[in-house]
Amino acid sequence: MKHVLPVLLVVLGLVIGAAGIVHGEADDSPGLQGLGVLLVLAAVLYGVRTVRRSR
């Protein structure tokens, strides 16, 4: 049960980041695309760090 929150945070970060990239591309907004990419990268790094620390 204690591993549910980190998984949800990673999935939520990936979904919101991907949506930001898609919406930023539709609006030709490089700032929104950049924030989406940063959010996706942060979510992936958080997920990797969490998995490595749990072992």
Side-chain angles (χ1 to χ4, degrees), residues 14-34:
L14 291 173
V15 169
I16 292 174
I21 294 169
V22 170
H23 287 295
E25 193 169 321
D27 191 23
D28 290 333
S29 171
L32 183 57
Q33 290 176 5

Side-chain angles (χ1 to χ4, degrees), residues 1-2 6-9 12-17 21-22 25 27 30-31 33 35 37 39 41-42 44 46 54:
M1 187 66 171
K2 68 180 182 176
V7 170
L8 287 176
L9 288 175
L12 187 62
L14 291 173
V15 169
I16 292 174
I21 294 169
V22 170
E25 193 169 321
D27 191 23
Q33 290 176 5
L35 288 174
V37 168
L39 187 58
L41 288 175
V44 168
Y46 177 74
S54 68

